[in-house]
Amino acid sequence: MKTQIQIKEYVHKVLDTTRFAVLATESESKPHASFIAITAINDLFELVFATYRNTRKYNNLKLNENVSILFEYKSDKENNQQEITILTAFGKAKEVEIADTDTIFNVHLLRHPQLKTFLLSSDCALFRVKVDDYQLVLGIDDVNWWNINS
């Protein structure tokens, strides 16, 4: 079992190096998974992503703000093996308010410059996830939790 400080360091490492993740949403008791470009802000307390408004993802988020976001992080070990870390963030997603759009847009674009056309689309919506918990899986018997608000 890792300390909260060690878990936060692992979370930082994963979020600093991982640019994409899988977002899980739910509507009418049906789960939906989506591949997203992600940006961590506010010292891991929030995650940002974008989506078109005419998608199942957007509709699900408008009906149910509860989400989980799964990240995979791979690193090479000394003996030519890969070490895989799985990080899942749990929280609530809300569309970014107009007053915050420019700041969030610029931070997300800086991390994902290849998405400029998508992000500038009039049908694109930015979402901010306020993270409640992170689950860090370092191995089958090495599962750690970090409640970000404690």
Side-chain angles (χ1 to χ4, degrees):
M1 188 64 84
K2 307 284 183 235
T3 68
Q4 293 295 289
I5 292 170
Q6 289 172 316
I7 294 169
K8 185 176 181 180
E9 288 172 0
Y10 269 99
V11 171
H12 255 294
K13 181 168 59 170
V14 171
L15 294 178
D16 284 346
T17 58
T18 307
R19 297 165 33 91
F20 300 95
V22 177
L23 170 74
T25 60
E26 185 266 337
S27 176
E28 298 177 13
S29 299
K30 294 180 183 172
H32 180 68
S34 305
F35 190 67
I36 58 171
I38 195 87
T39 301
I41 61 172
N42 295 335
D43 196 31
L44 311 177
F45 287 88
E46 296 179 322
L47 302 169
V48 174
F49 66 92
T51 185
Y52 285 122
R53 288 184 174 87
N54 64 346
T55 61
R56 178 182 296 178
K57 178 186 347 168
Y58 181 86
N59 291 329
N60 285 358
L61 291 165
K62 287 305 202 177
L63 293 171
N64 183 345
E65 62 187 13
N66 294 309
V67 299
S68 62
I69 302 172
L70 184 124
F71 302 83
E72 178 186 58
Y73 171 76
K74 295 178 183 177
S75 61
D76 293 323
K77 294 173 80 173
E78 292 175 10
N79 54 2
N80 263 356
Q81 292 183 337
Q82 273 198 332
E83 183 176 73
I84 297 176
T85 299
I86 301 297
L87 176 68
T88 306
F90 299 90
K92 298 193 182 319
K94 293 189 190 239
E95 193 166 353
V96 174
E97 296 177 12
I98 299 289
D100 297 330
T101 300
D102 286 345
T103 302
I104 300 295
F105 173 88
N106 289 328
V107 170
H108 196 49
L109 181 61
L110 185 63
R111 179 122 171 117
H112 300 279
Q114 75 282 9
L115 298 180
K116 184 174 185 176
T117 302
F118 164 60
L119 293 171
L120 288 171
S121 166
S122 61
D123 192 39
C124 182
L126 285 169
F127 277 83
R128 172 189 291 184
V129 177
K130 293 200 184 240
V131 177
D132 296 319
D133 300 288
Y134 283 103
Q135 180 191 45
L136 179 68
V137 179
L138 299 168
I140 195 158
D141 294 323
D142 194 357
V143 178
N144 302 272
W145 286 87
W146 176 33
N147 179 301
I148 205 161
N149 299 311
S150 60

